[in-house]
Amino acid sequence: MSPAVRIGLLGGTLDPIHLGHIETAAAARRALDLDRVYVLPSHVPPHRSQQPVASGYHRFAMTALAVNGLDGFAASDVELRTPGPSYTADTLSRFRERSGLSAAQIFFITGADAFAEIETWYRYPEVLELAHFIVVSRPGFLPASLRAALPLLSSRMISATPPSPSATARQAREEPSIFLVDAPTPDVSSTGIRRRLASGAPITGLVPAAVERHIVQHGLYTEGAGPLAADHLHGEN
């Protein structure tokens, strides 16, 4: 790969993937001028005691359908192919080893609500040295609030709001930074989608159309299909 390539990674249970995930990744890509974003369904989410409702096969299929045709996006099964919990630090280490990219070229994308719990993540604070982090707004949770919530990390936080990335955002930064992106993202969750499906309510407009067709075709998340555990945009504890 070219030394100048900038790769974004967005992970999560993605059970199912929805427009909130897509818009979060898109906002990060615009703000930091990323060349490509890989979306990674987790194998065993470390933040949940219960297994995902849908199988890894279906969650990867839905992810691939969601990003199909989106410029600069691709689905990755790197976490699904790895046994055990899908810890961010381990994923970043493996991705760097396999891709030959440096920490300065990898940007891990997460929601502001999940990043607020970064001190509980596996291999903290080392995980912050393995890549840049892009922290995107979630409904009711602005990234700017993290400066006060995580004072020890505030000096590494840089405002990077789309759609016009600053010149410094495009420059390669050897020291991994935390980029704060304040951008509107849909107020939708996988938990809410599963509940709607279990009750027979429509989900049109909450997930990509191809994902909705896959869910309907395979009868996913219908009543009795499995637990309705809470989900996160790749937080862990």
Side-chain angles (χ1 to χ4, degrees):
M1 292 184 177
S2 167
V5 70
R6 293 156 70 90
I7 299 298
L9 303 178
L10 181 137
T13 313
L14 308 182
D15 192 24
I17 189 170
H18 54 67
L19 293 180
H21 297 127
I22 300 300
E23 289 302 320
T24 295
R29 183 171 185 244
R30 290 193 300 269
L32 275 301
D33 199 15
L34 303 179
D35 297 295
R36 180 166 290 271
V37 173
Y38 290 99
V39 185
L40 301 73
S42 58
H43 179 234
V44 178
H47 56 273
R48 280 173 49 170
S49 59
Q50 296 174 316
Q51 291 294 308
V53 177
S55 68
Y57 168 83
H58 282 300
R59 289 184 293 116
F60 180 77
M62 289 186 286
T63 300
L65 289 169
V67 301
N68 182 44
L70 296 182
D71 183 46
F73 280 76
S76 170
D77 63 353
V78 64
E79 290 194 338
L80 290 173
R81 288 187 285 107
T82 305
S86 301
Y87 290 115
T88 299
D90 291 346
T91 295
L92 290 174
S93 295
R94 282 191 296 269
F95 193 89
R96 288 179 59 183
E97 180 180 344
R98 295 175 184 177
S99 67
L101 297 176
S102 70
Q105 296 169 289
I106 301 175
F107 296 74
F108 188 80
I109 304 166
T110 187
D113 50 349
F115 191 83
E117 301 176 354
I118 187 67
E119 293 173 328
T120 69
W121 288 25
Y122 178 65
R123 288 170 61 186
Y124 174 85
E126 178 193 359
V127 63
L128 292 173
E129 304 301 324
L130 300 175
H132 295 296
F133 274 66
I134 306 178
V135 183
V136 183
S137 304
R138 292 297 294 144
F141 209 124
L142 297 178
S145 66
L146 295 171
R147 296 184 186 275
L150 300 167
L152 295 180
L153 299 178
S154 61
S155 64
R156 299 174 64 167
M157 296 180 182
I158 300 170
S159 179
T161 301
S164 300
S166 66
T168 56
R170 180 61 203 185
Q171 293 171 0
R173 301 177 61 89
E174 292 303 322
E175 179 182 353
S177 301
I178 302 165
F179 294 98
L180 307 180
V181 177
D182 185 5
T185 56
D187 188 3
V188 55
S189 72
S190 299
T191 306
I193 290 170
R194 294 194 301 270
R195 286 176 176 155
R196 291 180 67 85
L197 287 163
S199 66
I203 60 167
T204 301
L206 302 179
V207 300
V211 172
E212 182 178 4
R213 288 193 295 270
H214 183 90
I215 290 171
V216 173
Q217 179 182 354
H218 294 280
L220 304 181
Y221 311 114
T222 54
E223 187 174 1
L228 295 173
D231 62 286
H232 297 277
L233 189 64
H234 220 307
E236 59 191 33
N237 54 48

